Amino acid sequence: MDLPVLTPSTPAASGGCSSSSCGSSAEQMSHLPEDILRRVQDHPCYSEDAHHHFARMHVAVAPACNIQCNYCNRKYDCANESRPGVVSELLTPDQAVKKTLVVASEIPQMSVLGIAGPGDPLANPERTFETFRKVAEYAPDIKLCVSTNGLSLPSVVDELSQYNIDHVTITINCVDPEIGARIYPWIFWNNRRIRGVEGARILIEQQQKGLEMLVERGVLVKVNSVMIPGVNDVHLKEVSRIVKSKGAFLHNVMPLISEPEHGTFYGLTGQRGPTQDELMALQDACAGDMNMMRHCRQCRADAVGLLGEDRGDEFTLEKIEMMTIDYAAAMKRRAVLRADVLAKLDARRSVKASNGLVSLVPAGAAPAPERQTRPVKIAVATAGGGVINQHFGHAREFLVYEASTEGARFISHRKTDLYCAGGDTCGDGESVLQRTIRALEGCEVVLCSKIGFEPWGQLEAAGIQPNGEHAMEPIEEAVMAVYREMAEAGKLAPREMPLRHSA
Amino acid sequence: MALAINELCVNCYACEPLCPNSAIYLARPHFRIDPALCTECLGEYDAPQCAEICPIEAAIIDEAGEALNPPGSLTGIPLQALAAAAAALAGTQAHLPVMGQGAGGAP
């Protein structure tokens, strides 16, 4: 694999992300100017580091859409589903504002409000902007962001920049209309439904124009792309290069979700999604050109909570109507917590920057000759806080780190519930443990706080070593400690051939 | 002469602001068109606006009951695949009527 080289950091670097201590950020963020780093440091969707400590919420106020995507089915809403674009309850702007204030009071880590659907937020400009305007007024300490397919973007850019929305995500799956026609069957434009290549051409034009206009106005733009094998997988490298050259600060390549039971075009016509390895290979290929994002959870358009969790059920309309809020008091608690977390993160960064964590050789040891040890993928169960603190069986997702002589690098997360918690009534009836083991494909170690006897045996049989010895330790330190143990035990000779025999 | 919205509607609000006659209104369980106000956009647009943006096949019908967007016309999903999916859903998730009816009406 072609990895970007992480150079050992200089402690003097003024608080920026200068080592692997920023998790994924080391790679995805290291090229960002300091002012952008400051703007995203408490945004859980942009920084893997922040996501351990800050929460986000989405409010579903935007039901209408102006395009059709082949991975979307507007008819489907299932309580067991956790895909993007799916919601249980549509809110009016006033209900959304109330919900936001309630959640911000109850979950002080909530730093970001996003509007992401379930349709396209900018195809519902009145509802979307009314929500933003009121939240900005009542809760100025909440960051606002919005996702869009980009079709209406140029026409609302000026209004958008009025509401202090400093983060916009545009989903850009292609820059070639021929490829676009295989992703978007139609768009609605100038009072007509326009199909095929012509529709895709207009969409691409508007997306690119919108991107340029936002960058001109100093708005941070992230680009999302859905990786569709055989359709746009190769093409996304060009997309990455182009959106970077136009000033997008982050590119998030996500896997296509296309289960037949979702009733989408891709689901019903047998279009498969990428494997974990295909996804990571593309992310690595794009990383040469672009700051890549690897920790996206593809959450629902009404998700609430830390990434990877959804506490939406605690804040249904019925429940929030019964609640009263003292937002002024909440805002004080939130400010204290925020300052506390940011100070902790800063402290952790500087400790790691100075103690040689990124090195394979423990501090004090004689400098080893350039010993060739291969990189290893290590999965981690965490419930937040940046430490290994989750029981294997309770983990609904695992964070995957790649440990190498360069240090520990966050590379992806793996869901164990595969977007569905419907048990045996839907899906293929595979056991949770089997699904989890499949999700951990390619990892050689899994770190957790505890693990039961049965999963221990099955993981070992699958070539994944469970390890509960690093409970409550900071993730990256534990990952590197395990890597050093493996190196010392001679398990990390460079691979000539696939190393399955050692499992 | 007027169009109508049937029970396939998913209440996405897309059509409501587009109607030049303000004939579309929010109702339960789904949006409706006031037949006294609807002109099918004649003289206003080349095509009825509600049917032009509606993402749901067969949710908007004319006075003869014909769907302006017949099954398969918006998603491109082959009718056999739609029918198979509807049958599978009917077996496991009877509380999701939209899918089944959309495809069930297909010839």
Side-chain angles (χ1 to χ4, degrees):
Chain A
M1 199 172 356
D2 189 20
L3 293 179
V5 176
L6 301 173
T7 50
S9 54
T10 45
S14 58
C17 293
S18 50
S19 78
S20 73
S21 58
C22 293
S24 61
S25 334
E27 186 193 355
Q28 73 185 338
M29 303 295 198
S30 59
H31 309 300
L32 295 178
E34 182 70 14
D35 63 317
I36 293 184
L37 283 174
R38 286 283 155 207
R39 281 164 75 181
V40 300
Q41 65 180 347
D42 60 348
H43 195 310
C45 304
Y46 291 159
S47 153
E48 173 63 20
D49 220 14
H51 117 261
H52 292 283
H53 306 277
F54 291 106
R56 53 76 183 96
M57 71 179 289
H58 290 163
V59 286
V61 295
C65 197
N66 47 11
I67 70 174
Q68 175 72 49
C69 302
N70 279 336
Y71 45 75
C72 181
N73 174 5
R74 303 305 313 283
K75 289 183 277 194
Y76 197 78
D77 178 14
C78 171
N80 294 325
E81 270 278 339
S82 61
R83 281 178 303 140
V86 170
V87 298
S88 307
E89 198 170 54
L90 184 69
L91 306 180
T92 64
D94 283 332
Q95 289 167 332
V97 173
K98 172 105 197 250
K99 180 173 178 176
T100 304
L101 298 180
V102 165
V103 171
S105 308
E106 297 286 316
I107 308 180
Q109 298 96 323
M110 203 280 280
S111 61
V112 172
L113 170 71
I115 299 184
D120 186 76
L122 304 184
N124 305 256
E126 293 85 9
R127 298 171 68 97
T128 296
F129 290 135
E130 187 186 337
T131 307
F132 281 145
R133 197 178 59 243
K134 289 183 173 165
V135 170
E137 186 184 326
Y138 299 130
D141 60 336
I142 295 176
K143 277 180 192 290
L144 305 176
C145 59
V146 64
S147 312
T148 178
N149 61 43
L151 182 61
S152 303
L153 190 50
S155 62
V156 299
V157 156
D158 285 319
E159 188 168 8
L160 204 128
S161 25
Q162 276 175 32
Y163 299 122
N164 198 23
I165 298 166
D166 62 357
H167 305 78
V168 173
T169 298
I170 314 175
T171 300
I172 298 180
N173 294 320
C174 55
V175 291
D176 174 348
E178 300 283 340
I179 293 172
R182 297 170 62 196
I183 303 171
Y184 308 105
W186 56 265
I187 67 166
F188 182 81
W189 181 249
N190 288 344
N191 299 96
R192 284 173 52 219
R193 197 188 309 268
I194 299 175
R195 298 171 189 265
V197 178
E198 174 64 3
R201 188 188 60 73
I202 295 167
L203 175 63
I204 290 166
E205 232 172 61
Q206 296 303 307
Q207 288 171 335
Q208 296 296 320
K209 192 169 155 197
L211 166 60
E212 291 161 18
M213 292 171 82
L214 286 170
V215 170
E216 274 167 25
R217 286 159 180 75
V219 179
L220 290 182
V221 183
K222 166 172 136 261
V223 169
N224 275 354
S225 300
V226 180
M227 176 183 182
I228 310 160
V231 176
N232 71 346
D233 46 353
V234 178
H235 181 59
L236 283 181
K237 290 177 209 164
E238 192 187 350
V239 171
S240 208
R241 192 179 52 74
I242 289 175
V243 299
K244 186 199 181 186
S245 74
K246 294 196 176 175
F249 85 105
L250 197 57
H251 190 197
N252 176 23
V253 177
M254 306 175 295
L256 171 70
I257 301 170
S258 60
E259 311 310 315
E261 58 269 30
H262 299 157
T264 62
F265 174 86
Y266 285 145
L268 294 178
T269 56
Q271 169 66 51
R272 71 172 179 92
T275 64
Q276 289 283 353
D277 284 349
E278 288 171 334
L279 178 67
M280 281 194 283
L282 178 61
Q283 288 174 336
D284 286 338
C286 294
D289 284 322
M290 184 77 194
N291 298 303
M292 293 300 295
M293 171 164 154
R294 298 171 191 271
H295 67 279
C296 173
R297 265 62 174 184
Q298 294 182 288
C299 56
R300 286 166 58 114
D302 58 359
V304 174
L306 289 162
L307 295 191
E309 76 174 4
D310 189 349
R311 296 175 59 182
D313 288 349
E314 297 169 40
F315 303 101
T316 58
L317 262 187
E318 203 183 339
K319 290 178 185 162
I320 62 173
E321 282 193 354
M322 312 288 287
M323 298 176 173
T324 51
I325 318 153
D326 177 355
Y327 198 75
M331 207 145 79
K332 282 183 197 147
R333 288 199 305 275
R334 292 165 49 74
V336 170
L337 180 125
R338 183 169 182 280
D340 190 42
V341 170
L342 290 180
K344 250 189 239 161
L345 287 178
D346 265 352
R348 249 181 55 198
R349 264 175 215 144
S350 45
V351 166
K352 285 183 197 168
S354 55
N355 76 358
L357 175 77
V358 297
S359 165
L360 177 67
V361 183
E370 266 303 296
R371 190 166 32 147
Q372 279 297 313
T373 53
R374 63 182 172 80
V376 171
K377 292 195 186 80
I378 296 177
V380 170
T382 175
V387 295
I388 296 164
N389 57 357
Q390 197 166 38
H391 192 294
F392 176 81
H394 297 168
R396 294 185 62 204
E397 67 164 22
F398 292 87
L399 305 185
V400 178
Y401 287 76
E402 184 173 77
S404 72
T405 49
E406 313 287 349
R409 180 181 75 125
F410 171 82
I411 53 172
S412 71
H413 66 95
R414 306 276 177 89
K415 291 204 187 211
T416 59
D417 57 0
L418 300 176
Y419 313 102
C420 177
D424 295 339
T425 53
C426 51
D428 50 16
E430 197 180 22
S431 83
V432 175
L433 182 55
Q434 286 166 332
R435 270 202 302 242
T436 303
I437 289 174
R438 189 153 57 86
L440 294 177
E441 177 197 354
C443 298
E444 295 180 47
V445 179
V446 57
L447 298 176
C448 50
S449 63
K450 277 186 175 174
I451 179 168
F453 184 73
E454 194 201 341
W456 184 291
Q458 291 202 30
L459 279 164
E460 273 194 335
I464 304 167
Q465 181 60 50
N467 183 329
E469 290 166 23
H470 295 273
M472 299 316 292
E473 290 179 18
I475 293 171
E476 290 174 29
E477 287 172 27
V479 165
M480 288 314 292
V482 169
Y483 188 69
R484 281 193 292 268
E485 282 166 26
M486 292 174 81
E488 280 155 18
K491 292 179 182 170
L492 300 181
R495 279 180 179 174
E496 301 300 331
M497 302 212 296
L499 196 95
R500 279 293 167 212
H501 64 271
S502 72
Chain B
M1 133 169 176
L3 301 177
I5 297 172
N6 66 22
E7 70 288 353
L8 297 174
C9 171
V10 295
N11 294 312
C12 83
Y13 286 70
C15 59
E16 189 264 348
L18 292 177
C19 178
N21 306 306
S22 303
I24 301 175
Y25 59 97
L26 179 59
R28 291 289 155 204
H30 55 78
F31 276 88
R32 292 193 174 279
I33 297 175
D34 183 342
L37 296 177
C38 176
T39 60
E40 300 190 8
C41 293
L42 272 184
E44 302 269 0
Y45 295 103
D46 293 343
Q49 293 297 288
C50 54
E52 282 294 274
I53 200 166
C54 180
I56 305 299
E57 292 162 350
I60 296 187
I61 53 176
D62 63 16
E63 281 179 352
E66 293 284 328
L68 276 75
N69 298 305
S73 66
L74 300 183
T75 58
I77 298 171
L79 294 181
Q80 303 93 306
L82 272 179
L89 269 182
T92 55
Q93 299 186 328
H95 63 282
L96 286 174
V98 283
M99 195 74 170
Q101 289 175 8

